[in-house]
Each structure stands twice: as structure tokens, then as C-alpha cells.
């Protein structure tokens, strides 16, 4: 569950929060930051969950595989996600040893967000939490790189990808952040080769291939993977599939809250992929969806994305 509050940069310094990144924290620090943040908005979050919510906003049938405790936060998360049109096949876990996860997100005056995430029970997602019927129906599976921090998460990935691909679907991954890439570089390099598509930003791709030359990193990635996407924080998005390459221009938008920009880019891009759009149009859909979500607080779309796509001549 995202807990979002506007703060001045001095607050980040006082709380020893590194601006602009996602930091995993323990429960004690989570409790301390939550107490310090004061007034806030509470919105269901999670990177891939935000992406799936965006896909659902666009009218595709969507499901989110995750894990919450049967506590107040967990029950609200499932209820609100289902009410917004995304299926949550896993009910809250009764008697869980860990509470539901939450992320304290502090938004600076420039719109940058600094995320402090306590994973709680969500870090315990394993193969037993992967519903076979959901994967068998999926045309596109989107995996969250952060889950690779635990063996059970890796096993959940492998199970979901195997089920989806054996039923004729595609499976891909979000690289998540450069620190996640640093921790799992060898595994992620293997996934780039094995999965059908990979989405990351320029820092993640450079980290994955251990180079400061983005062109070199993307050329190596394109040689490894069937389809790669590179977002670049306000600069052209690069999409490569074999020898095919699309550079998608981005309109500069002053963000109200940058939370979820990459997540909603993925929503638009995956919608394009699901509906047969070419690389350039799929990338443009991603950019339009990202621009919508940074125009307000929270990482879930508030406007009808299909209407926005239509106004841009994309559908």
C-alpha cells in the first residue's frame, strides 16, 4: 500500500532518505517514517500492480498475483484493487507472521519521489501462490524484478513463466532499479535471454551490461533478447526487436508526482503489444499513459487512458 505525502527536501535530509530512489527498509524504520509523515494519501501500489491496474483501465482483462496479510491494510488493498477492475486471485492470508507491505513515498516540490518500502508478507510470495488457471489464461505475463531477492520469489517467477509460456503466452520482466540489477546481474542476464521481453530504464541497462555507454548496452541487450525497451526520464524511449528499432519522442511534462511513471509506461506499452500495435505506436501509448499518471498524486491512472489514446490518434 502506497502512503504518499508531500515534503520539503529538508525533510529527506533530516530523515536520511536518499532522494529519488526506492529503498528497502525494515519494520522499525517503516513505523518511524510512517509516524513522521503526517497527512498522506493511501493508494494501492506496487510496481507491477500499478502496471496491471493501468492495463485494466484500458479495458483488458487483468489479474495481479501477490500476497497480503489479513490485516486492515491487506484487506483494503484487495478490496480496492478488485473494485478498480483487477482480479486478485489470492485472498488475504489469515494469521500471517508478517504484516502487509507498505511504501512511504515522499514527494519533493520538484515532483521527484523517494520511496521507502517495507516488504512485509509480500516478500514471501512463492510458487504455491501462483494460480495455475490464471497463468494458463494469460497472453502476457509481467514479472517484477524486486521479487528476485528471495529464492521463493525466483521459484514463483519460474512457475508463472513456465505455465504462461507453455499455454502459448509471453513472459517478460521489469528490471526494477539499478541496485536490484547489481544484486542479481547474472540471473537477470540469463532472464534477458530466456524471456520474451524486458523493460528497463537507461541506468538499469547500463548496470546490467556494466558499461556507461547506453548504445553499447542496448546493442548487447538486443542481441540477447527478443524485445527490449529503454525509458530515459523525459528523453526518447528506445525499443528494439532484432534489427527493428523505434525511437519514441517524449513530450516534457512537469510532474506533480513522478510515482508510477515507469509503471504506467509499461501499461501503455503492454496494451500496444497485446493489441498488435507496432513498436513505435506501443511506445507512444506508454508515453501517454506515463504523462497522465505524473499529472496527479498516486501511481494509478485517474483519467480514461483509452480516451487519451484516441485523442492522440493511437487507437
Amino acid at each position: 500500500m502506497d502512503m504518499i505525502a508531500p515534503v520539503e527536501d529538508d525533510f529527506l535530509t533530516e530523515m536520511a532518505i536518499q532522494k529519488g530512489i526506492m529503498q528497502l527498509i525494515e519494520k522499525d524504520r517503516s513505523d518511524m517514517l510512517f509516524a513522521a509523515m503526517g497527512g498522506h494519501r493511501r493508494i494501492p501500489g506496487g510496481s507491477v500492480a500499478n502496471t496491471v491496474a493501468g492495463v485494466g483501465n484500458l479495458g483488458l482483462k487483468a489479474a495481479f498475483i501477490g500476497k497480503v496479510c489479513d490485516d486492515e491494510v491487506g484487506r483494503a488493498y484487495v478490496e480496492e484493487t478488485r473494485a478498480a477492475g483487477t482480479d486478485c486471485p489470492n485472498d488475504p492470508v489469515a494469521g500471517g507472521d508478517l504484516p502487509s507491505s507498505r511504501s512511504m513515498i515522499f514527494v519533493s516540490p520538484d515532483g521527484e519521489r523517494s520511496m521507502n518500502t517495507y516488504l512485509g508478507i509480500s516478500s514471501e510470495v512463492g510458487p504455491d501462490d501462483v494460480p495455475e488457471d490464471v497463468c494458463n489464461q494469460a497472453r502476457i505475463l509481467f514479472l517484477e524484478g524486486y521479487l528476485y531477492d528471495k529464492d521463493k520469489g525466483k521459484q514463483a517467477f519460474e512457475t508463472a513463466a513456465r505455465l504462461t509460456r507453455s499455454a502459448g503466452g509471453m513472459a517478460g520482466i521489469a528490471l526494477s532499479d539499478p541496485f536490484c540489477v547489481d544484486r542479481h546481474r547474472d540471473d537477470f542476464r540469463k532472464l534477458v535471454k530466456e524471456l520474451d521481453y524486458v523493460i528497463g530504464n537507461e541506468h538499469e541497462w547500463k548496470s546490467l551490461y556494466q558499461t556507461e555507454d547506453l548504445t553499447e548496452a542496448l546493442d548487447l541487450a538486443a542481441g540477447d533478447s527478443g524485445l527490449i525497451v529503454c525509458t530515459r526520464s523525459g528523453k526518447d524511449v528506445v525499443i528494439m526487436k532484432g534489427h527493428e528499432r523505434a525511437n519514441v519522442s517524449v513530450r516534457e511534462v512537469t510532474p506533480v508526482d513522478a510515482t508510477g511513471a515507469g509503471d504506467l509506461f509499461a501499461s501503455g506499452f503492454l496494451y500496444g503489444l497485446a493489441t498488435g500495435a507496432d513498436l513505435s505506436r506501443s511506445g507512444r501509448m506508454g508515453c501517454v499513459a506515463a504523462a497522465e499518471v505524473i499529472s496527479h498524486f498516486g501511481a494509478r491512472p485517474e483519467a480514461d487512458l483509452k480516451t487519451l489514446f484516441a485523442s492522440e490518434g493511437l487507437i
Side-chain angles (χ1 to χ4, degrees):
M1 186 73 79
D2 286 344
M3 316 289 189
I4 306 172
V7 297
E8 299 297 324
D9 286 339
D10 289 348
F11 177 88
L12 304 181
T13 302
E14 180 184 346
M15 294 294 169
I17 295 170
Q18 189 171 346
K19 184 175 179 178
I21 70 163
M22 196 292 292
Q23 181 70 50
L24 293 178
I25 58 176
E26 297 300 325
K27 186 175 184 302
D28 288 349
R29 181 160 173 79
S30 169
D31 292 341
M32 184 273 286
L33 291 177
F34 181 67
M37 76 189 309
H40 64 278
R41 290 186 65 187
R42 190 182 77 174
I43 307 170
S47 182
V48 161
N50 295 334
T51 298
V52 172
V55 168
N57 176 286
L58 284 159
L60 298 186
K61 185 178 180 182
F64 173 64
I65 299 170
K67 196 165 194 171
V68 298
C69 183
D70 188 12
D71 54 20
E72 193 272 333
V73 168
R75 289 189 294 272
Y77 188 98
V78 169
E79 289 167 6
E80 292 171 28
T81 299
R82 288 173 175 167
T86 297
D87 183 25
C88 274
N90 299 332
D91 292 324
V93 177
D97 294 332
L98 295 170
S100 298
S101 66
R102 62 186 180 184
S103 183
M104 272 60 66
I105 302 174
F106 299 101
V107 182
S108 308
D110 60 1
E112 186 60 87
R113 84 284 185 272
S114 306
M115 305 174 69
N116 302 264
T117 303
Y118 169 61
L119 293 177
I121 197 171
S122 70
S123 65
E124 298 299 314
V125 169
D128 292 343
D129 301 305
V130 177
E132 186 170 347
D133 59 333
V134 172
C135 294
N136 286 340
Q137 295 177 60
R139 285 181 55 197
I140 299 177
L141 173 71
F142 192 34
L143 302 165
E144 175 53 71
Y146 289 126
L147 270 185
Y148 240 65
D149 279 326
K150 289 204 173 184
D151 287 340
K152 288 172 67 176
K154 292 181 185 180
Q155 293 164 15
F157 269 25
E158 292 164 0
T159 300
R162 173 178 51 78
L163 290 169
T164 299
R165 298 180 85 195
S166 65
M170 298 174 63
I173 190 172
L175 293 177
S176 298
D177 70 31
F179 302 105
C180 190
V181 172
D182 287 342
R183 292 193 297 272
H184 304 292
R185 183 174 289 106
D186 290 344
D187 283 331
F188 280 6
R189 288 281 291 269
K190 186 168 177 276
L191 287 173
V192 169
K193 293 181 179 180
E194 292 178 350
L195 296 178
D196 300 294
Y197 66 92
V198 184
I199 300 176
N201 64 36
E202 59 182 318
H203 306 295
E204 293 155 3
W205 285 115
K206 288 177 182 178
S207 174
L208 187 64
Y209 288 95
Q210 295 177 288
T211 177
E212 288 304 310
D213 185 333
L214 181 61
T215 299
E216 178 186 3
L218 295 183
D219 285 343
L220 289 168
D224 284 346
S225 176
L227 173 60
I228 65 160
V229 181
C230 176
T231 58
R232 300 194 295 156
S233 297
K235 300 177 184 176
D236 287 4
V237 174
V238 179
I239 307 171
M240 301 174 73
K241 183 179 183 181
H243 296 296
E244 186 181 358
R245 177 179 175 132
N247 281 61
V248 182
S249 61
V250 175
R251 295 176 191 164
E252 286 194 29
V253 177
T254 301
V256 173
D257 171 16
T259 310
D263 305 337
L264 266 293
F265 172 86
S267 298
F269 177 78
L270 293 177
Y271 176 81
L273 193 63
T275 56
D278 62 22
L279 297 186
S280 181
R281 182 170 296 205
S282 296
R284 184 70 197 129
M285 288 176 174
C287 293
V288 171
E292 190 283 334
V293 84
I294 66 174
S295 70
H296 55 76
F297 279 98
R300 303 284 173 99
E302 293 183 351
D304 184 284
L305 295 179
K306 244 184 173 176
T307 300
L308 294 179
F309 288 180
S311 70
E312 296 283 340
L314 296 172
I315 56 175

